[in-house]
Amino acid sequence: MAKPAPRPAKKLKILFAASEAHPLIKTGGLGDVAGALPAALHNLRQDVRLILPAYRAAMLGIGNLKIVSLSLQTDPYPLRLLEGKLPGSGVRVWLVDAPHYFDRDGNPYTGADGHDWPDNAARFATFARAVSAVALDQAGLRWRPDVVHCNDWQTGLVPALLSLEPARPATVFTIHNLAYQGIFPAADYRSLGLPPQLWAMDGLEFYGQASYIKGGLNYADMLNTVSPTYAEEIRTPAFGCQLDGLLRARAARLTGILNGADYAEWDPATDPHLPQHYSANALQGKAANKSALQQELGLPRAAEVPLIGFVGRLVEQKGVDLLLTILPQLLQQEVQVVILGSGNKAFETALAALAVHYPQRCHVKIGFSEALAHRIEAGADLFLMPSRYEPCGLNQIYSLRYGTLPLVRRTGGLADTVQDWSEGTDRATGFVFDEATPRALLDTLLRALKLYGSDRRGWRRVMANAMARDYSWQQSAKAYLELYRLAITHAGAGKAP
Ligand code: ADP
Ligand code: GLC
């Protein structure tokens, strides 16, 4: 007799809270994840709603918004909830409209001078209070989630606030980057009227200040980070940002789930930003992208000269100092280098100066350009990510699909996604180095350039391996569903160990 088919698991109601989501607003990989993971969960037929601050860019990006709630009693100023759809997917989006906090131009976290907005403590406390009210069905939406999925410090207060509620949904907190913690003076905490009972060492207090990320780390039912290796690393003092003790204590509730890539956005066969499409079976288009990129950047159109790309936030995490140290030596070689990024002003200035010095070999673009980032992925031969630490990293995953061999340091998600050339032609997908030193980076670059120059067939084999890798969201989204179910099991069983 045939076995009865297993009963399909119950559809989950998921409230996904984040401070950025592509294509509405993005400063880095969190934006990519918060745009793609809810869509992947939606495709798995889950009832997922995305909640974001109503930044000016987000409101303009959705366009067709309707007011769905005027009854958020969470702030001295009136708050509204606006509803629309995430462009390109069927995911419903709620925007927390607090114009005095969010209806501003520019970056979600910093002003035009590059410094954090001075009222960030209040902005993200208001956002967290609104998310908590929606989670408790106190916003008049007649929808109650089974689980609230919070991301990074901007949403850290949500699990903390919800922990005070007897009938609350389960909570999951994802660490995308442990180094950004949302630390504010104790006086801010008091003036914002945040609950005094959460002010404790195993609560939100951190060396006399308020730590928003500790709200997520201490109170969420389940924790995860965005790669298995980073989930291990953050339990050690070297990567733990002074929170490794806490994370060791909660190790039983902490897992690593590798980010996926959204191949609807990042596939050279369909990418609308590219002058010509290509794929593993039709590679000619890649050369056309290289040539077009060289022309766009004002570099000589030389097919045989290796083109090396870097796209990212110009901060210490990304190993920009290592790159700056080796660039003068690297640029003595017959190479071309293109760098797109913004961040630390000293790094910006030093990189721009190098480009002035080597106009035929080095192009530096300071700023943020989604379109140019795609064209660099397609046009370059080699993609650099010499990160000192990297929770997951998405650009190396995109590089694999674009046949642009990633050269990475063996850390976090980079270690989990790139196999070094020395592992043999059946497995290798790029180049990996260990020590965070300029010497190790340069040696590995020279090793890569040697292969490019002397064994083009070997290079193409690595390209073929890289392009065959599949990091689509489907698998990771299923892993998140498992995590949500675990969180639901643990919720209500008292404060987690
Ligand atoms: P992180 O989140 O630490 O910044 P990731 O590799 O996970 O690093 O993701 C970075 C994302 O942000 C990628 O989609 C990358 O292309 C994009 N990005 C970073 N800097 C820029 C920039 N200056 N212009 C365009 N896209 C950028
Ligand atoms: C963070 C990390 C990055 C990760 C991204 C998305 O910004 O720095 O490694 O890929 O979040 O999870």
Side-chain angles (χ1 to χ4, degrees):
M1 211 171 68
K3 267 210 290 193
R7 214 152 20 112
K10 182 179 151 260
K11 184 194 241 192
L12 291 182
K13 286 194 267 181
I14 304 151
L15 182 62
F16 192 100
S19 57
E20 55 181 89
H22 180 75
L24 298 174
I25 184 146
K26 160 174 164 183
T27 68
L30 171 62
D32 285 350
V33 173
L37 175 55
L41 291 164
H42 178 80
N43 290 341
L44 292 175
R45 304 189 182 289
Q46 307 300 308
D47 181 4
V48 54
R49 321 269 169 115
L50 175 60
I51 186 161
L52 299 168
Y55 307 112
R56 184 170 298 169
M59 291 190 285
L60 291 171
I62 295 186
N64 217 351
L65 284 164
K66 61 178 186 197
I67 301 168
V68 289
S69 173
L70 289 165
S71 51
L72 282 174
Q73 301 299 328
T74 57
D75 198 75
Y77 299 98
L79 285 189
R80 302 186 306 178
L81 215 55
L82 311 174
E83 183 179 296
K85 285 275 162 75
L86 185 67
S89 84
V91 174
R92 198 182 297 208
V93 183
W94 287 321
L95 299 180
V96 176
D97 187 26
H100 49 293
Y101 288 144
F102 301 124
D103 190 5
R104 302 174 182 175
D105 276 329
N107 188 291
Y109 320 120
T110 57
D113 60 3
H115 291 112
D116 288 352
W117 294 112
D119 54 355
N120 271 350
R123 296 170 76 229
F124 292 104
T126 292
F127 180 55
R129 284 173 157 147
V131 173
S132 307
V134 171
L136 296 167
D137 198 12
Q138 291 171 351
L141 298 169
R142 285 190 278 163
W143 184 83
R144 202 183 174 86
D146 301 304
V147 59
V148 187
H149 184 167
C150 302
N151 295 275
D152 273 356
W153 71 263
Q154 296 87 349
T155 56
L157 290 180
V158 175
L161 294 173
L162 288 175
S163 75
L164 302 173
E165 302 292 333
R168 63 169 178 87
T171 51
V172 166
F173 185 78
T174 299
I175 304 161
H176 295 266
N177 194 330
L178 192 63
Y180 297 89
Q181 302 184 348
I183 306 280
F184 302 103
D188 282 3
Y189 190 88
R190 286 191 295 274
S191 70
L192 289 167
L194 288 162
Q197 62 272 46
L198 298 176
W199 187 265
M201 217 165 78
D202 60 352
L204 298 173
E205 189 266 343
F206 187 63
Y207 298 102
Q209 296 194 289
S211 162
Y212 283 16
I213 199 174
K214 277 187 73 180
L217 303 184
N218 272 321
Y219 295 100
D221 296 305
M222 288 302 294
L223 301 174
N224 83 301
T225 180
V226 286
S227 69
T229 295
Y230 192 60
E232 299 283 332
E233 288 172 338
I234 56 176
R235 292 179 227 167
T236 67
F239 291 89
C241 304
Q242 296 182 286
L243 292 165
D244 46 297
L246 192 174
L247 291 166
R248 281 193 299 277
R250 294 212 69 199
R253 299 289 181 93
L254 169 64
T255 64
I257 301 177
L258 197 68
N259 284 333
D262 184 353
Y263 293 126
E265 298 272 338
W266 293 94
D267 183 344
T270 52
D271 187 336
H273 299 292
L274 306 191
Q276 203 163 317
H277 290 147
Y278 65 94
S279 63
N281 301 324
L283 267 181
Q284 323 74 282
K286 181 149 176 71
N289 276 282
K290 177 171 176 178
S291 175
L293 182 65
Q294 288 168 324
Q295 184 173 36
E296 176 180 351
L297 304 176
L299 295 170
R301 290 174 80 173
E304 292 306 306
V305 175
L307 178 48
I308 304 171
F310 174 97
V311 177
R313 294 179 296 111
L314 299 177
V315 295
E316 216 179 274
Q317 173 193 348
K318 302 290 175 184
V320 183
D321 56 322
L322 303 178
L323 197 56
L324 269 168
T325 310
I326 63 136
L327 273 174
Q329 217 174 324
L330 177 68
L331 289 166
Q332 303 303 320
Q333 312 256 333
E334 189 68 32
V335 296
Q336 295 181 344
V337 176
V338 50
I339 294 173
L340 167 65
S342 64
N344 178 318
K345 295 290 166 221
F347 287 152
E348 292 183 356
T349 311
L351 287 168
L354 266 173
V356 171
H357 208 76
Y358 297 94
Q360 296 292 300
R361 292 196 173 158
C362 180
H363 185 95
V364 172
K365 175 100 188 150
I366 302 299
F368 193 95
S369 165
E370 186 74 27
L372 182 56
H374 285 246
R375 291 199 289 272
I376 293 174
E377 283 289 3
D381 298 296
L382 195 62
F383 194 94
L384 295 187
M385 289 184 77
S387 306
R388 289 181 175 277
Y389 72 94
E390 195 62 76
C392 178
L394 290 166
N395 275 121
Q396 85 281 12
I397 300 180
Y398 304 150
S399 300
L400 292 170
R401 179 51 61 102
Y402 283 67
T404 303
L405 300 190
L407 188 157
V408 306
R409 195 168 96 74
R410 197 185 314 279
T411 184
L414 300 173
D416 293 339
T417 51
V418 182
Q419 267 77 47
D420 184 64
W421 164 241
S422 64
E423 293 188 31
T425 42
D426 316 339
R427 281 175 50 80
T429 55
F431 304 91
V432 185
F433 66 101
D434 286 281
E435 297 295 313
T437 60
R439 185 76 257 162
L441 169 58
L442 187 62
D443 285 349
T444 305
L445 252 167
L446 296 177
R447 194 156 61 90
L449 293 175
K450 184 152 175 248
L451 182 70
Y452 184 87
S454 63
D455 180 4
R456 202 57 66 85
R457 277 182 59 201
W459 185 275
R460 292 233 173 81
R461 275 205 301 275
V462 184
M463 275 175 78
N465 295 343
M467 294 178 88
R469 283 304 172 94
D470 184 2
Y471 287 104
S472 44
W473 266 108
Q474 172 97 352
Q475 274 314 102
S476 303
K478 285 184 182 155
Y480 274 102
L481 279 182
E482 280 310 303
L483 190 68
Y484 298 157
R485 295 215 163 86
L486 278 174
I488 291 166
T489 308
H490 288 299
K495 206 175 148 211

